[in-house]
Amino acid sequence: MPTGATCERTVGTFAQEEAATMRTIVGHHAARSLLTREALASQVSHAYLITGPERIGRTTLALEFARLLQCQGRAADDPEPCGACDSCRKIAACAHPDARLVVRPADKRVMPVELVREVIHTANLSPSIGPWRIFIIPEIERMAAASANALLKTLEEPPERVVLLLTSSQPEALLPTVISRCQLVPMQAPTTEEIRQALMERWNVEPGRASELTSLAQGRIGWAIEAAQRPEMARERSELLWRLIALTSAARDERLRTAGTLATDTDAARAAVELWMFWWRDVVLAACGAHGLVSAGEARAEAERQGRVLGVDRTQGFLTALVEAREALEANTNPLLTIEALLLDLPALPISAARR
Ligand SMILES: [Zn+2]
């Protein structure tokens, strides 16, 4: 019989994200205090849905809540897990039999239904050592209908002492019945200033580098922290950004050629569109004359230049095209066709884009 003690880990950032505590998770004050309040009042729901953009720290928050609930070393009114007891240490090591992180295998596009069934089976067993049996299931939107329906039954008739911590960056893609059975915990992206400060104060990143990483991170603190430790991530992202920027002055055939390299798969296409969208907002802001709102990053001068030359209507038109492309990719349209159509909508700049 499966015991639920395994912990599949495919997400690269957990090692450092796990080190965070409720106190050190950047921003997210409202989400954090809601969970802390429930734990201290012993009014724990059977299911929570933590929502927010990717790499914002949803799983970190869920792990921290699990640690708070299972901690054996804190006083009843202490809002933080002790970090030192057997439970806290086991959760940090991903080895707690009653706090299981259920991660989609990296080679699967959706959560395998057998894994979901196994979770449901384990949920019906009593906790082994802790007061609760907790399952953290990230990316709940990546579940086929059969899995979602199986999970729904557990949400409708939750076993005693079970807490499901579901997370999603796309709650709009979930079954409404799943949403209505969960207590919602929305996480807002931390402000760019909060990320910049956190990088400098907690991860000792020097100020100039912190500004650069913040502008590339698009509000995703998890990405910024990881990139601070792995410089190649920031370099790759920066190279992608400059390739996108240069497309404005590229000829039509070059644009179509580039589409093939940007849209190798849906994830690559989505990453390109999201990065582009983030930068293009700056182009629109510059076109509108809102210079104080343009992000301070390596591509700021180029955003100002493109905004000035292209003007408000054309830059806003392309922002709409980017939003539509992202929606099309979410709806699983062909990534190559989506990117090709997008590149044909991109306004053309006569002058070659200056690089740095
Ligand atoms: Zn503890």
Side-chain angles (χ1 to χ4, degrees), residues 6-25:
T6 39
C7 174
E8 292 116 290
R9 303 214 288 175
T10 56
V11 181
T13 54
F14 279 143
Q16 81 235 2
E17 288 199 336
E18 276 164 10
T21 69
M22 283 295 211
R23 213 179 280 120
T24 62
I25 295 168

Side-chain angles (χ1 to χ4, degrees), residues 121-164:
H121 167 83
T122 315
N124 283 293
L125 308 175
S126 302
S128 308
I129 56 170
W132 304 96
R133 198 177 261 286
I134 301 172
F135 296 91
I136 299 166
I137 312 182
E139 310 179 284
I140 194 77
E141 67 276 5
R142 295 230 184 177
M143 227 178 231
S147 302
N149 281 321
L151 191 68
L152 189 57
K153 287 208 181 67
T154 303
L155 289 172
E156 281 166 353
E157 291 164 29
E160 285 278 295
R161 318 305 293 170
V162 163
V163 182
L164 294 173

Side-chain angles (χ1 to χ4, degrees), residues 208-349:
R209 177 105 185 107
S211 299
E212 232 172 72
L213 289 175
T214 302
S215 92
L216 284 170
Q218 302 167 247
R220 296 174 308 172
I221 181 76
W223 184 90
I225 296 165
E226 199 177 348
Q229 286 151 359
R230 290 178 46 208
E232 72 276 13
M233 283 177 60
R235 195 172 55 242
E236 282 165 19
R237 204 164 170 76
S238 170
E239 279 169 11
L240 174 61
L241 178 61
W242 282 103
R243 276 175 69 205
L244 297 170
I245 289 172
L247 281 169
T248 322
S249 43
R252 188 189 158 101
D253 58 336
E254 194 187 333
R255 290 181 177 198
L256 291 177
R257 260 200 315 280
T258 307
T261 63
L262 293 177
T264 46
D265 59 40
T266 302
D267 286 343
R270 191 186 295 156
V273 167
E274 282 180 359
L275 179 61
W276 207 351
M277 209 154 98
F278 188 78
W279 183 74
W280 197 267
R281 281 202 193 99
D282 280 345
V283 178
V284 177
L285 288 169
C288 296
H291 303 287
L293 297 178
V294 177
S295 321
E298 57 175 342
R300 180 185 176 125
E302 188 57 23
E304 295 273 5
R305 188 179 81 87
Q306 295 202 7
R308 194 173 54 244
V309 178
L310 295 170
V312 177
D313 289 351
R314 295 174 78 197
T315 56
Q316 280 184 340
F318 187 61
L319 186 58
T320 307
L322 282 164
V323 171
E324 286 168 0
R326 186 177 62 173
E327 283 168 4
L329 290 168
E330 298 300 344
N332 269 329
T333 54
N334 180 311
L336 181 59
L337 294 180
T338 307
I339 296 293
E340 279 178 356
L342 182 63
L343 286 172
L344 294 177
D345 277 344
L346 175 66
L349 260 188

Side-chain angles (χ1 to χ4, degrees), residues 67 71-74 81-88:
R67 207 181 308 196
C71 178
Q72 304 150 336
R74 69 173 173 92
C82 75
C85 72
D86 192 44
S87 266
C88 284

